[in-house]
Amino acid sequence: MVARRLIGGSGPTVGALVVVAAWTAWWASRAWSVSGLSWHFFADGGRWLTGPHALHVYADHPELQTGPLSLLVAACLRVLPSGAAEKTALVAMTAAGPLLLAALVPLLPTARRTVRVLLAGLVLAPAWTVLSVRWGHLDDVLALIAVVAAVHALCAGRPVLAGLAVAAAIACKPWALGTVGLLLSLPASAWAGSVATAVLGTSAAWLPFVLADSATLTALRPNVALVPSSGLHALGVRGTVVPGWGRTAQLLGSTVTAAVAGLTGRWPGVLLVTVAVRLALDPQDNAYYVGSAALAAVLFDLLGTTWTVPWTTLVTVVVLWQPFVTDYAHRMTTTHGLTHWWFAHPGAVGATHVGWSVAAVTLVLLVPGVGRARESV
């Protein structure tokens, strides 16, 4: 059983979190002028979920690569005045970043806690706002909130609650299936309750759509473009769209790898390897992926290592960072320097990102002395 950590010396740490919140707000303000690029998926999906063909939403709209719980939250936001739902969601998602960091504080050893939290937050903020503001991916943010809740339940010795939180994460975003590995870090006697809860909760979220329309399963064979900077392309897969086995390979690969992390007691790295395998086998190379990867790295750095500097997070943000241009169609003629190089060499970018994935999995599973929860003393 993972021991509880106690909060100590909270004054300086609260001050550090205030600094992180202000830093995050500044990055959010920089992205606000061109924001919510993916919000239309949630606005439309929430409307369809509350329409007359709710249980056919995935069959009718296979472009919705998200979970029903995310669509339900988006649907609830429709009660707000016109135009306010998106702005409210962007602000709330941005605030979730510093709040998730604050939620990890009680789980940290007291030694160097304040400086570790401060440095992690300063590195996380620019990556987080790409996810929360620039793209506005509600599903990823909700899934990450549920995963942090699962970590808390795990540390508190509440296996059923941990299973419920994992189920909520999967109901928000399918890639979260890998976080079942968190439950496998519990004593074997607790597996039945936690895993059963996760299975039942996941079934309750997804099974009604499958039973109502078997075409829902076509979500495992989406018509998603295979881009040259993607992990799949770097691994030698060719074509114009993701192969039929692509999504299945992502889910199985991340789940198996994360299960190994959980079974070997390296649960702080479960989310990191889940995200790493997902990105390595993804047909896309979307900029907002950096937000999930950065939070996963923060969780690993703070709970799985004693490093003062969050090296995993720092490398993750640097390697996965992508340039943003408002005139994307003319990016090759309007950019210069490193930004131009990035757009001109998608193959090298994809290979670098796959290299990050391999390094992340290796760090979590194979490097001695890191990856296991650090106990307070």
Side-chain angles (χ1 to χ4, degrees):
M1 189 66 64
V2 181
R4 282 183 188 270
R5 276 83 170 178
L6 301 176
I7 300 178
S10 60
T13 304
V14 170
L17 290 170
V18 170
V19 172
V20 169
W23 180 241
T24 304
W26 184 78
W27 277 97
S29 69
R30 296 181 74 250
W32 195 264
S33 60
V34 183
S35 58
L37 295 175
S38 294
W39 180 253
H40 62 94
F41 290 114
F42 305 100
D44 292 340
R47 176 166 50 85
W48 294 327
L49 187 68
T50 55
H53 305 290
L55 294 180
H56 300 269
V57 63
Y58 293 107
D60 294 342
H61 303 281
E63 71 275 14
L64 293 177
Q65 298 290 299
T66 187
L69 185 54
S70 301
L71 297 184
L72 179 60
V73 172
C76 291
L77 289 172
R78 295 182 64 217
V79 303
L80 297 174
S82 178
E86 178 181 344
K87 293 181 176 61
T88 300
L90 296 183
V91 171
M93 286 188 286
T94 301
L99 290 175
L100 288 175
L101 184 62
L104 295 178
V105 170
L107 309 181
L108 303 182
T110 55
R112 294 171 287 116
R113 173 187 289 170
T114 297
V115 67
R116 295 181 73 208
V117 168
L118 176 61
L119 292 177
L122 294 179
V123 178
L124 173 66
W128 183 260
T129 51
V130 173
L131 170 65
S132 67
V133 180
R134 180 73 75 195
W135 293 90
H137 259 264
L138 179 65
D139 48 0
D140 291 274
V141 173
L142 290 174
L144 293 169
I145 291 172
V147 171
V148 172
V151 168
H152 262 273
L154 185 73
C155 294
R158 303 180 68 179
V160 173
L161 186 58
L164 185 61
V166 166
I170 301 169
C172 291
K173 191 81 168 184
W175 65 251
L177 183 63
T179 60
V180 170
L182 288 170
L183 307 180
L184 300 182
S185 68
L186 292 162
S189 59
W191 285 2
S194 61
V195 174
T197 301
V199 170
L200 290 174
T202 301
S203 300
W206 285 101
L207 200 56
F209 299 93
V210 176
L211 294 178
D213 195 328
S214 60
T216 296
L217 294 177
T218 58
L220 291 175
R221 299 173 64 91
N223 188 29
V224 176
L226 175 63
V227 302
S229 59
S230 68
L232 274 182
H233 192 277
L235 292 172
V237 178
R238 296 296 181 266
T240 57
V241 297
V242 59
W245 50 264
R247 289 301 192 206
T248 302
Q250 272 187 304
L251 292 176
L252 291 179
S254 62
T255 301
V256 170
T257 310
V260 173
L263 288 170
T264 55
R266 296 172 178 261
W267 65 263
V270 163
L271 180 59
L272 183 59
V273 297
T274 297
V275 173
V277 175
R278 175 209 177 189
L279 298 194
L281 299 178
D282 203 90
Q284 295 278 300
D285 188 33
N286 293 315
Y288 69 84
Y289 292 168
V290 70
S292 301
L295 185 72
V298 164
L299 196 152
F300 176 77
D301 278 330
L302 294 181
L303 300 183
T305 79
T306 57
W307 301 332
T308 300
V309 176
W311 292 113
T312 313
T313 310
L314 185 59
V315 171
T316 295
V317 170
V318 170
V319 171
L320 299 185
W321 187 264
Q322 298 188 19
F324 177 79
V325 291
T326 54
D327 188 8
Y328 186 80
H330 299 94
R331 62 194 180 281
M332 298 306 298
T333 57
T334 59
T335 59
H336 59 275
L338 182 59
T339 298
H340 182 83
W341 182 93
W342 196 97
F343 287 121
H345 298 83
V349 171
T352 301
H353 290 181
V354 169
W356 170 85
S357 295
V358 172
V361 173
T362 301
L363 178 63
V364 171
L365 297 184
L366 299 178
V367 175
V370 299
R372 301 182 188 277
R374 305 292 158 171
E375 304 295 334
S376 297
V377 293

